[in-house]
Amino acid sequence: MHKTILTSFVTSSLAVLLASSAAFAQSAPGGVSDNKVKIGILNDQSGVYSEFGGKSSVEAAKMAVEDFGGKVLGQPIEIVDADHQNKPDIASNIARQWYDTQQVDAIMELTTSSVALAVQAVGKEKKKIDIVTGAATTDLTGKACTPYGFHWAYDTHALAVGTGGALVKQGGDSWFFLTADYAFGYSLEQQTGDFVKSSGGKIVGAVRHPLATTDFSSFLLQAQSSGAKVVGLANAGLDTANAIKQAAEFGITAGGQRLAALLFTLAEVHGLGLQAAQGLTLTEGYYWNLDDKSREFAKKFFARTKKMPNMVHSGTYSAVTQYLKAIQKAGTDDADAVSKALHEMPVDDFFARGGTVAKNGRMIHDMYLLQVKKPGESKEPWDYFTVLATIPGKEAYMDPAKSGCDLVK
């Protein structure tokens, strides 16, 4: 009987010791927690921005994991994804569930600025990393910056400098804005307007429209009657495409006004077609036909998705890859250690050449000013852009010291 009691005591003590060891390993600063690295891609997969990022961004993330070898620090890497429906409350709930019950280590893509701001706030609370490639507002690396938040592919400042700057130089010195009625639209209108005014232009008016509206007639009539030389479309995705289509019906460009698609990518040009999109000036952080490195990624992406990537898709691949490299460098998936590594490491891949991460989390890299070709100028499928200029990263992005981020001192 004594032997039985002793054996039971030893067995239970050993079990407690093993459990304690496992718990210590789980929370230890070195190694991978939960014996895996789990990345969530959270974006619009069914709405107005579904082509802008959507399921194609999920494929880009999976490609990055496969090209990395499927493991980091000897542990497997998993991608999960969800549709946030462009609703911050839904996105926040998904983020909390992922962090609290599904062992997700980082969330990426986050199309829609209001969503990205909400999820970044959750990440700050939970001490989890987010890398935004789909949203545009500079608030992410400004007043809403966090030690765990990063902004990767582009932002409203870069779009304003690129497209806004180009059109002012070409004589477009009076503007009227059609603006999406949420954080992204406000930010894009303000920063483009500020840039236009600082360049000697003027803003003659603006009107705000609901996200995912289908009827732009009243907004376009106001733009037309304003007499502005440039109608700035401070929106994105299907909203921009629909506005361009309806502007043609109202004869806006035929009447001499120019349209500025302030956030327009290859995906939207493809959906609209060259006949309708020709002549538009836009800014992207990546173009598939830029050089051999860009084409190499695009060819693999096309084989999986049957479409060429835009800056959101390619930026997501870059962000996932850099996150995994940071885990490898840090020797752990601990968020503080990985954040430190992300700030220290240069970003040098097909997406960003010599990119750097500033103290506010902004990844600074070159942007490209592009013009949509006429149908007769396109030599092959998806050959849609002429590269007008390369905008150096330091010109494209806001000085971190002026961003309003408390982390920059």
Side-chain angles (χ1 to χ4, degrees):
M1 183 176 179
H2 291 298
K3 186 176 180 181
T4 302
I5 294 172
L6 181 61
T7 302
S8 176
F9 172 78
V10 171
T11 302
S12 60
S13 298
L14 183 59
V16 170
L17 180 62
L18 289 172
S20 300
S21 298
F24 175 77
Q26 198 90 330
S27 60
V32 172
S33 60
D34 308 308
N35 298 316
K36 64 185 170 188
V37 169
K38 204 168 183 179
I39 300 169
I41 303 299
L42 184 56
N43 60 7
D44 176 7
Q45 299 181 5
S46 58
V48 66
Y49 301 141
S50 57
E51 287 299 310
F52 182 73
K55 283 289 189 180
S56 296
S57 288
V58 179
E59 287 303 311
K62 290 178 179 178
M63 286 175 64
V65 170
E66 291 167 15
D67 290 347
F68 200 81
K71 290 185 176 182
V72 61
L73 300 181
Q75 300 299 330
I77 307 160
E78 182 181 349
I79 298 292
V80 295
D81 68 275
D83 183 353
H84 59 48
Q85 302 173 48
N86 295 310
K87 296 177 179 177
D89 56 338
I90 290 177
S92 297
N93 288 337
I94 292 170
R96 289 183 184 281
Q97 183 180 12
W98 276 357
Y99 289 148
D100 292 342
T101 67
Q102 297 187 32
Q103 295 79 50
V104 168
D105 298 292
I107 297 177
M108 302 188 195
E109 219 268 41
L110 294 168
T111 306
T112 314
S113 292
S114 53
V115 162
L117 289 165
V119 172
Q120 183 156 289
V122 175
K124 180 181 180 180
E125 175 193 335
K126 301 289 185 180
K127 294 189 175 181
K128 297 285 189 177
I129 284 175
D130 69 272
I131 306 182
V132 177
T133 58
T137 179
T138 52
D139 285 351
L140 289 160
T141 52
K143 62 183 180 182
C145 73
T146 84
Y148 309 104
F150 297 85
H151 203 176
W152 218 251
Y154 72 104
D155 64 22
T156 50
H157 188 275
L159 299 176
V161 170
T163 308
L167 290 175
V168 173
K169 287 178 183 177
Q170 293 171 12
D173 56 4
S174 61
W175 286 60
F176 184 96
F177 287 98
L178 263 68
T179 303
D181 193 11
Y182 74 103
F184 150 69
Y186 313 150
S187 181
L188 188 51
E189 177 191 322
Q190 179 191 335
Q191 293 192 17
T192 305
D194 289 347
F195 196 82
V196 168
K197 288 183 284 188
S198 69
S199 302
K202 61 181 179 180
I203 310 303
V204 300
V207 63
R208 291 175 175 175
H209 68 80
L211 178 67
T213 189
T214 56
D215 184 4
F216 284 87
S217 56
S218 64
F219 311 122
L220 288 167
L221 285 170
Q222 291 180 63
Q224 194 171 40
S225 63
S226 73
K229 293 180 182 178
V230 179
V231 179
L233 303 177
N235 49 22
L238 286 176
D239 280 343
T240 306
N242 287 332
I244 291 170
K245 287 178 185 176
Q246 292 173 40
E249 295 168 6
F250 280 94
I252 286 180
T253 52
Q257 289 176 297
R258 297 188 66 173
L259 294 178
L262 296 171
L263 177 50
F264 209 52
T265 75
L266 187 80
E268 290 76 51
V269 172
H270 182 71
L272 192 59
L274 289 183
Q275 188 63 42
Q278 61 182 307
L280 282 172
T281 303
L282 56 100
T283 303
E284 280 212 60
Y286 164 89
Y287 178 41
W288 76 268
N289 210 13
L290 182 69
D291 57 24
D292 288 342
K293 288 176 72 175
S294 300
R295 285 187 285 270
E296 182 183 356
F297 169 73
K299 184 177 179 181
K300 292 194 298 181
F301 184 87
F302 186 86
R304 294 175 73 121
T305 65
K306 305 308 176 190
K307 65 180 70 171
M308 287 297 186
N310 63 10
M311 65 179 170
V312 178
H313 307 136
S314 54
T316 299
Y317 180 102
S318 174
V320 170
T321 301
Q322 195 73 359
Y323 173 68
L324 296 174
K325 287 181 179 178
I327 291 175
Q328 197 168 54
K329 174 181 170 64
T332 176
D333 63 353
D334 173 75
D336 288 298
V338 173
S339 176
K340 183 175 183 292
L342 282 167
H343 280 99
E344 293 173 349
M345 295 165 57
V347 185
D348 196 6
D349 55 23
F350 72 88
F351 177 78
R353 321 297 166 88
T356 58
V357 178
K359 290 181 179 179
N360 62 347
R362 174 67 257 174
M363 198 272 278
I364 297 171
H365 62 102
D366 294 348
M367 298 288 289
Y368 304 99
L369 182 66
L370 308 166
Q371 187 167 47
V372 180
K373 292 182 175 183
K374 297 176 181 178
E377 295 172 339
S378 179
K379 297 178 181 178
E380 60 180 307
W382 298 90
D383 175 31
Y384 295 159
F385 295 149
T386 297
V387 180
L388 298 179
T390 298
I391 307 164
K394 289 185 177 180
E395 293 179 18
Y397 293 102
M398 186 183 299
D399 180 352
K402 298 177 181 179
S403 67
C405 173
D406 291 339
L407 301 173
V408 184
K409 296 178 180 177

